Structures are given as structure tokens and as C-alpha cells.
PDB file of all heavy atoms in Angstrom:
ATOM      1  N   VAL D   1      -6.140 -18.343  24.829  1.00  0.00           N
ATOM      2  CA  VAL D   1      -6.322 -18.320  23.330  1.00  0.00           C
ATOM      3  C   VAL D   1      -7.868 -18.270  23.000  1.00  0.00           C
ATOM      4  O   VAL D   1      -8.322 -17.503  22.191  1.00  0.00           O
ATOM      5  CB  VAL D   1      -5.681 -19.480  22.665  1.00  0.00           C
ATOM      6  CG1 VAL D   1      -6.082 -19.586  21.177  1.00  0.00           C
ATOM      7  CG2 VAL D   1      -4.181 -19.331  22.796  1.00  0.00           C
ATOM      8  N   ASP D   2      -8.595 -19.113  23.677  1.00  0.00           N
ATOM      9  CA  ASP D   2     -10.008 -19.149  23.422  1.00  0.00           C
ATOM     10  C   ASP D   2     -10.722 -17.840  23.727  1.00  0.00           C
ATOM     11  O   ASP D   2     -11.589 -17.362  22.953  1.00  0.00           O
ATOM     12  CB  ASP D   2     -10.719 -20.272  24.258  1.00  0.00           C
ATOM     13  CG  ASP D   2     -10.361 -21.697  23.761  1.00  0.00           C
ATOM     14  OD1 ASP D   2      -9.836 -21.783  22.655  1.00  0.00           O
ATOM     15  OD2 ASP D   2     -10.595 -22.611  24.486  1.00  0.00           O
ATOM     16  N   SER D   3     -10.315 -17.213  24.836  1.00  0.00           N
ATOM     17  CA  SER D   3     -10.972 -15.928  25.215  1.00  0.00           C
ATOM     18  C   SER D   3     -10.497 -14.790  24.278  1.00  0.00           C
ATOM     19  O   SER D   3     -11.209 -13.844  24.091  1.00  0.00           O
ATOM     20  CB  SER D   3     -10.593 -15.602  26.692  1.00  0.00           C
ATOM     21  OG  SER D   3      -9.207 -15.388  26.824  1.00  0.00           O
ATOM     22  N   ALA D   4      -9.318 -14.936  23.697  1.00  0.00           N
ATOM     23  CA  ALA D   4      -8.804 -13.878  22.837  1.00  0.00           C
ATOM     24  C   ALA D   4      -9.293 -14.035  21.364  1.00  0.00           C
ATOM     25  O   ALA D   4      -9.303 -13.079  20.561  1.00  0.00           O
ATOM     26  CB  ALA D   4      -7.311 -13.908  22.814  1.00  0.00           C
ATOM     27  N   MET D   5      -9.727 -15.214  21.020  1.00  0.00           N
ATOM     28  CA  MET D   5     -10.055 -15.544  19.612  1.00  0.00           C
ATOM     29  C   MET D   5     -11.191 -14.714  19.055  1.00  0.00           C
ATOM     30  O   MET D   5     -11.059 -14.027  17.991  1.00  0.00           O
ATOM     31  CB  MET D   5     -10.351 -17.008  19.432  1.00  0.00           C
ATOM     32  CG  MET D   5     -10.554 -17.466  18.017  1.00  0.00           C
ATOM     33  SD  MET D   5      -9.024 -17.517  17.084  1.00  0.00           S
ATOM     34  CE  MET D   5      -8.351 -19.037  17.595  1.00  0.00           C
ATOM     35  N   SER D   6     -12.312 -14.641  19.759  1.00  0.00           N
ATOM     36  CA  SER D   6     -13.481 -13.932  19.255  1.00  0.00           C
ATOM     37  C   SER D   6     -13.207 -12.480  19.147  1.00  0.00           C
ATOM     38  O   SER D   6     -13.604 -11.794  18.162  1.00  0.00           O
ATOM     39  CB  SER D   6     -14.743 -14.217  20.103  1.00  0.00           C
ATOM     40  OG  SER D   6     -14.448 -13.827  21.455  1.00  0.00           O
ATOM     41  N   LYS D   7     -12.526 -11.907  20.147  1.00  0.00           N
ATOM     42  CA  LYS D   7     -12.190 -10.482  20.145  1.00  0.00           C
ATOM     43  C   LYS D   7     -11.272 -10.209  18.958  1.00  0.00           C
ATOM     44  O   LYS D   7     -11.445  -9.174  18.263  1.00  0.00           O
ATOM     45  CB  LYS D   7     -11.524 -10.107  21.411  1.00  0.00           C
ATOM     46  CG  LYS D   7     -11.202  -8.605  21.530  1.00  0.00           C
ATOM     47  CD  LYS D   7     -10.551  -8.305  22.828  1.00  0.00           C
ATOM     48  CE  LYS D   7     -10.127  -6.824  22.974  1.00  0.00           C
ATOM     49  NZ  LYS D   7      -9.462  -6.507  24.253  1.00  0.00           N
ATOM     50  N   ALA D   8     -10.296 -11.027  18.735  1.00  0.00           N
ATOM     51  CA  ALA D   8      -9.338 -10.880  17.643  1.00  0.00           C
ATOM     52  C   ALA D   8     -10.003 -10.937  16.256  1.00  0.00           C
ATOM     53  O   ALA D   8      -9.709 -10.241  15.371  1.00  0.00           O
ATOM     54  CB  ALA D   8      -8.233 -11.893  17.759  1.00  0.00           C
ATOM     55  N   GLU D   9     -10.999 -11.860  16.170  1.00  0.00           N
ATOM     56  CA  GLU D   9     -11.713 -12.026  14.874  1.00  0.00           C
ATOM     57  C   GLU D   9     -12.485 -10.773  14.550  1.00  0.00           C
ATOM     58  O   GLU D   9     -12.484 -10.262  13.395  1.00  0.00           O
ATOM     59  CB  GLU D   9     -12.640 -13.241  14.972  1.00  0.00           C
ATOM     60  CG  GLU D   9     -13.316 -13.528  13.660  1.00  0.00           C
ATOM     61  CD  GLU D   9     -14.155 -14.805  13.718  1.00  0.00           C
ATOM     62  OE1 GLU D   9     -14.406 -15.323  14.811  1.00  0.00           O
ATOM     63  OE2 GLU D   9     -14.595 -15.276  12.669  1.00  0.00           O
ATOM     64  N   ARG D  10     -13.150 -10.186  15.594  1.00  0.00           N
ATOM     65  CA  ARG D  10     -13.917  -8.952  15.335  1.00  0.00           C
ATOM     66  C   ARG D  10     -12.931  -7.777  14.976  1.00  0.00           C
ATOM     67  O   ARG D  10     -13.207  -7.051  14.017  1.00  0.00           O
ATOM     68  CB  ARG D  10     -14.686  -8.595  16.577  1.00  0.00           C
ATOM     69  CG  ARG D  10     -15.830  -9.503  16.918  1.00  0.00           C
ATOM     70  CD  ARG D  10     -16.749  -8.854  17.984  1.00  0.00           C
ATOM     71  NE  ARG D  10     -16.047  -8.605  19.230  1.00  0.00           N
ATOM     72  CZ  ARG D  10     -15.913  -9.434  20.210  1.00  0.00           C
ATOM     73  NH1 ARG D  10     -16.424 -10.679  20.118  1.00  0.00           N
ATOM     74  NH2 ARG D  10     -15.287  -9.127  21.299  1.00  0.00           N
ATOM     75  N   ALA D  11     -11.816  -7.720  15.676  1.00  0.00           N
ATOM     76  CA  ALA D  11     -10.851  -6.647  15.382  1.00  0.00           C
ATOM     77  C   ALA D  11     -10.240  -6.772  14.017  1.00  0.00           C
ATOM     78  O   ALA D  11     -10.025  -5.800  13.358  1.00  0.00           O
ATOM     79  CB  ALA D  11      -9.735  -6.654  16.495  1.00  0.00           C
ATOM     80  N   ALA D  12     -10.059  -8.003  13.495  1.00  0.00           N
ATOM     81  CA  ALA D  12      -9.411  -8.250  12.221  1.00  0.00           C
ATOM     82  C   ALA D  12     -10.316  -7.718  11.122  1.00  0.00           C
ATOM     83  O   ALA D  12      -9.811  -7.394  10.027  1.00  0.00           O
ATOM     84  CB  ALA D  12      -9.145  -9.743  12.036  1.00  0.00           C
ATOM     85  N   LYS D  13     -11.614  -7.659  11.328  1.00  0.00           N
ATOM     86  CA  LYS D  13     -12.542  -7.143  10.302  1.00  0.00           C
ATOM     87  C   LYS D  13     -12.340  -5.668   9.986  1.00  0.00           C
ATOM     88  O   LYS D  13     -12.751  -5.200   8.948  1.00  0.00           O
ATOM     89  CB  LYS D  13     -14.021  -7.400  10.712  1.00  0.00           C
ATOM     90  CG  LYS D  13     -14.373  -8.893  10.739  1.00  0.00           C
ATOM     91  CD  LYS D  13     -15.793  -9.086  11.252  1.00  0.00           C
ATOM     92  CE  LYS D  13     -16.093 -10.604  11.303  1.00  0.00           C
ATOM     93  NZ  LYS D  13     -17.453 -10.868  11.817  1.00  0.00           N
ATOM     94  N   SER D  14     -11.636  -5.008  10.900  1.00  0.00           N
ATOM     95  CA  SER D  14     -11.342  -3.570  10.662  1.00  0.00           C
ATOM     96  C   SER D  14     -10.190  -3.382   9.683  1.00  0.00           C
ATOM     97  O   SER D  14      -9.859  -2.282   9.276  1.00  0.00           O
ATOM     98  CB  SER D  14     -10.951  -2.868  11.991  1.00  0.00           C
ATOM     99  OG  SER D  14      -9.649  -3.417  12.414  1.00  0.00           O
ATOM    100  N   ARG D  15      -9.540  -4.472   9.304  1.00  0.00           N
ATOM    101  CA  ARG D  15      -8.427  -4.532   8.350  1.00  0.00           C
ATOM    102  C   ARG D  15      -7.195  -3.895   8.942  1.00  0.00           C
ATOM    103  O   ARG D  15      -6.223  -3.585   8.212  1.00  0.00           O
ATOM    104  CB  ARG D  15      -8.779  -3.844   7.037  1.00  0.00           C
ATOM    105  CG  ARG D  15     -10.036  -4.317   6.354  1.00  0.00           C
ATOM    106  CD  ARG D  15     -10.128  -5.864   6.269  1.00  0.00           C
ATOM    107  NE  ARG D  15      -9.053  -6.434   5.489  1.00  0.00           N
ATOM    108  CZ  ARG D  15      -8.750  -7.760   5.391  1.00  0.00           C
ATOM    109  NH1 ARG D  15      -9.433  -8.619   6.139  1.00  0.00           N
ATOM    110  NH2 ARG D  15      -7.753  -8.174   4.653  1.00  0.00           N
ATOM    111  N   ASP D  16      -7.174  -3.717  10.260  1.00  0.00           N
ATOM    112  CA  ASP D  16      -5.885  -3.219  10.917  1.00  0.00           C
ATOM    113  C   ASP D  16      -4.870  -4.292  10.842  1.00  0.00           C
ATOM    114  O   ASP D  16      -5.145  -5.488  11.197  1.00  0.00           O
ATOM    115  CB  ASP D  16      -6.244  -2.876  12.330  1.00  0.00           C
ATOM    116  CG  ASP D  16      -4.961  -2.437  13.122  1.00  0.00           C
ATOM    117  OD1 ASP D  16      -4.443  -1.371  12.863  1.00  0.00           O
ATOM    118  OD2 ASP D  16      -4.447  -3.292  13.980  1.00  0.00           O
ATOM    119  N   PRO D  17      -3.639  -3.992  10.316  1.00  0.00           N
ATOM    120  CA  PRO D  17      -2.620  -5.067  10.160  1.00  0.00           C
ATOM    121  C   PRO D  17      -2.282  -5.774  11.403  1.00  0.00           C
ATOM    122  O   PRO D  17      -2.086  -7.004  11.409  1.00  0.00           O
ATOM    123  CB  PRO D  17      -1.405  -4.216   9.624  1.00  0.00           C
ATOM    124  CG  PRO D  17      -2.015  -3.025   8.981  1.00  0.00           C
ATOM    125  CD  PRO D  17      -3.224  -2.655   9.792  1.00  0.00           C
ATOM    126  N   ASP D  18      -2.138  -5.098  12.555  1.00  0.00           N
ATOM    127  CA  ASP D  18      -1.852  -5.742  13.803  1.00  0.00           C
ATOM    128  C   ASP D  18      -2.952  -6.704  14.257  1.00  0.00           C
ATOM    129  O   ASP D  18      -2.698  -7.833  14.737  1.00  0.00           O
ATOM    130  CB  ASP D  18      -1.636  -4.725  14.921  1.00  0.00           C
ATOM    131  CG  ASP D  18      -0.326  -3.960  14.795  1.00  0.00           C
ATOM    132  OD1 ASP D  18       0.545  -4.422  13.977  1.00  0.00           O
ATOM    133  OD2 ASP D  18      -0.154  -2.886  15.340  1.00  0.00           O
ATOM    134  N   ALA D  19      -4.201  -6.284  14.036  1.00  0.00           N
ATOM    135  CA  ALA D  19      -5.338  -7.121  14.390  1.00  0.00           C
ATOM    136  C   ALA D  19      -5.414  -8.375  13.519  1.00  0.00           C
ATOM    137  O   ALA D  19      -5.680  -9.452  14.009  1.00  0.00           O
ATOM    138  CB  ALA D  19      -6.670  -6.300  14.282  1.00  0.00           C
ATOM    139  N   ILE D  20      -5.089  -8.179  12.269  1.00  0.00           N
ATOM    140  CA  ILE D  20      -5.070  -9.344  11.347  1.00  0.00           C
ATOM    141  C   ILE D  20      -4.000 -10.345  11.742  1.00  0.00           C
ATOM    142  O   ILE D  20      -4.195 -11.504  11.775  1.00  0.00           O
ATOM    143  CB  ILE D  20      -4.913  -8.853   9.929  1.00  0.00           C
ATOM    144  CG1 ILE D  20      -6.133  -8.069   9.418  1.00  0.00           C
ATOM    145  CG2 ILE D  20      -4.663 -10.087   8.951  1.00  0.00           C
ATOM    146  CD1 ILE D  20      -5.945  -7.401   8.113  1.00  0.00           C
ATOM    147  N   ALA D  21      -2.778  -9.762  12.028  1.00  0.00           N
ATOM    148  CA  ALA D  21      -1.686 -10.644  12.385  1.00  0.00           C
ATOM    149  C   ALA D  21      -2.019 -11.383  13.660  1.00  0.00           C
ATOM    150  O   ALA D  21      -1.682 -12.574  13.808  1.00  0.00           O
ATOM    151  CB  ALA D  21      -0.427  -9.782  12.598  1.00  0.00           C
ATOM    152  N   ARG D  22      -2.668 -10.732  14.657  1.00  0.00           N
ATOM    153  CA  ARG D  22      -3.021 -11.368  15.914  1.00  0.00           C
ATOM    154  C   ARG D  22      -4.008 -12.562  15.690  1.00  0.00           C
ATOM    155  O   ARG D  22      -3.858 -13.591  16.221  1.00  0.00           O
ATOM    156  CB  ARG D  22      -3.618 -10.356  16.911  1.00  0.00           C
ATOM    157  CG  ARG D  22      -3.796 -10.881  18.289  1.00  0.00           C
ATOM    158  CD  ARG D  22      -4.328  -9.757  19.179  1.00  0.00           C
ATOM    159  NE  ARG D  22      -4.427 -10.146  20.604  1.00  0.00           N
ATOM    160  CZ  ARG D  22      -3.435 -10.080  21.450  1.00  0.00           C
ATOM    161  NH1 ARG D  22      -2.240  -9.648  21.057  1.00  0.00           N
ATOM    162  NH2 ARG D  22      -3.614 -10.442  22.711  1.00  0.00           N
ATOM    163  N   PHE D  23      -5.008 -12.316  14.846  1.00  0.00           N
ATOM    164  CA  PHE D  23      -6.043 -13.328  14.558  1.00  0.00           C
ATOM    165  C   PHE D  23      -5.411 -14.506  13.862  1.00  0.00           C
ATOM    166  O   PHE D  23      -5.679 -15.642  14.204  1.00  0.00           O
ATOM    167  CB  PHE D  23      -7.170 -12.677  13.770  1.00  0.00           C
ATOM    168  CG  PHE D  23      -8.276 -13.663  13.452  1.00  0.00           C
ATOM    169  CD1 PHE D  23      -8.873 -14.402  14.482  1.00  0.00           C
ATOM    170  CD2 PHE D  23      -8.780 -13.781  12.154  1.00  0.00           C
ATOM    171  CE1 PHE D  23      -9.887 -15.311  14.157  1.00  0.00           C
ATOM    172  CE2 PHE D  23      -9.803 -14.708  11.852  1.00  0.00           C
ATOM    173  CZ  PHE D  23     -10.350 -15.477  12.928  1.00  0.00           C
ATOM    174  N   GLU D  24      -4.532 -14.214  12.842  1.00  0.00           N
ATOM    175  CA  GLU D  24      -3.859 -15.317  12.149  1.00  0.00           C
ATOM    176  C   GLU D  24      -2.976 -16.146  13.078  1.00  0.00           C
ATOM    177  O   GLU D  24      -2.880 -17.384  12.978  1.00  0.00           O
ATOM    178  CB  GLU D  24      -3.081 -14.737  10.960  1.00  0.00           C
ATOM    179  CG  GLU D  24      -3.880 -14.121   9.853  1.00  0.00           C
ATOM    180  CD  GLU D  24      -4.877 -15.156   9.272  1.00  0.00           C
ATOM    181  OE1 GLU D  24      -4.477 -16.311   9.051  1.00  0.00           O
ATOM    182  OE2 GLU D  24      -6.044 -14.778   9.030  1.00  0.00           O
ATOM    183  N   ALA D  25      -2.286 -15.442  13.946  1.00  0.00           N
ATOM    184  CA  ALA D  25      -1.454 -16.148  14.930  1.00  0.00           C
ATOM    185  C   ALA D  25      -2.246 -17.083  15.851  1.00  0.00           C
ATOM    186  O   ALA D  25      -1.880 -18.236  16.094  1.00  0.00           O
ATOM    187  CB  ALA D  25      -0.612 -15.192  15.761  1.00  0.00           C
ATOM    188  N   LEU D  26      -3.380 -16.569  16.324  1.00  0.00           N
ATOM    189  CA  LEU D  26      -4.211 -17.341  17.205  1.00  0.00           C
ATOM    190  C   LEU D  26      -4.779 -18.551  16.505  1.00  0.00           C
ATOM    191  O   LEU D  26      -4.900 -19.634  17.104  1.00  0.00           O
ATOM    192  CB  LEU D  26      -5.382 -16.476  17.730  1.00  0.00           C
ATOM    193  CG  LEU D  26      -4.994 -15.450  18.759  1.00  0.00           C
ATOM    194  CD1 LEU D  26      -6.150 -14.407  18.985  1.00  0.00           C
ATOM    195  CD2 LEU D  26      -4.670 -16.117  20.120  1.00  0.00           C
ATOM    196  N   LYS D  27      -5.147 -18.410  15.180  1.00  0.00           N
ATOM    197  CA  LYS D  27      -5.615 -19.537  14.439  1.00  0.00           C
ATOM    198  C   LYS D  27      -4.597 -20.686  14.274  1.00  0.00           C
ATOM    199  O   LYS D  27      -4.923 -21.818  14.163  1.00  0.00           O
ATOM    200  CB  LYS D  27      -6.087 -19.108  13.051  1.00  0.00           C
ATOM    201  CG  LYS D  27      -7.452 -18.309  13.071  1.00  0.00           C
ATOM    202  CD  LYS D  27      -8.066 -18.192  11.683  1.00  0.00           C
ATOM    203  CE  LYS D  27      -7.213 -17.385  10.755  1.00  0.00           C
ATOM    204  NZ  LYS D  27      -7.908 -17.256   9.440  1.00  0.00           N
ATOM    205  N   LYS D  28      -3.290 -20.275  14.288  1.00  0.00           N
ATOM    206  CA  LYS D  28      -2.202 -21.267  14.185  1.00  0.00           C
ATOM    207  C   LYS D  28      -1.951 -21.880  15.534  1.00  0.00           C
ATOM    208  O   LYS D  28      -1.634 -23.069  15.624  1.00  0.00           O
ATOM    209  CB  LYS D  28      -0.952 -20.615  13.679  1.00  0.00           C
ATOM    210  CG  LYS D  28      -1.031 -20.207  12.191  1.00  0.00           C
ATOM    211  CD  LYS D  28       0.197 -19.456  11.763  1.00  0.00           C
ATOM    212  CE  LYS D  28       0.155 -19.008  10.275  1.00  0.00           C
ATOM    213  NZ  LYS D  28       1.355 -18.287   9.847  1.00  0.00           N
TER     214      LYS D  28
END
């Protein structure tokens, strides 16, 4: 999770729905 978090946060800024969902899931 720690290694995926920063990558997911950057990807979520693209507003891609899958990337946003992944980042939100990791935060939970």
C-alpha cells in the first residue's frame, strides 16, 4: 500500500475515474 500510494495520488490528479477510485481505496 505504501509503495502504491504516491503513484496512485499522482494518477488521481489526471481525474481518471479508475485512478481516483484506486487512490480513495488506498486511503481507506
Side-chain angles (χ1 to χ4, degrees):
V1 169
D2 289 345
S3 63
M5 186 71 80
S6 58
K7 181 179 178 182
E9 185 175 12
R10 290 194 302 271
K13 292 177 181 177
S14 69
R15 309 311 298 170
D16 176 72
D18 287 343
I20 293 171
R22 190 177 185 84
F23 182 48
E24 292 301 319
L26 287 167
K27 287 196 296 182
K28 291 178 180 177

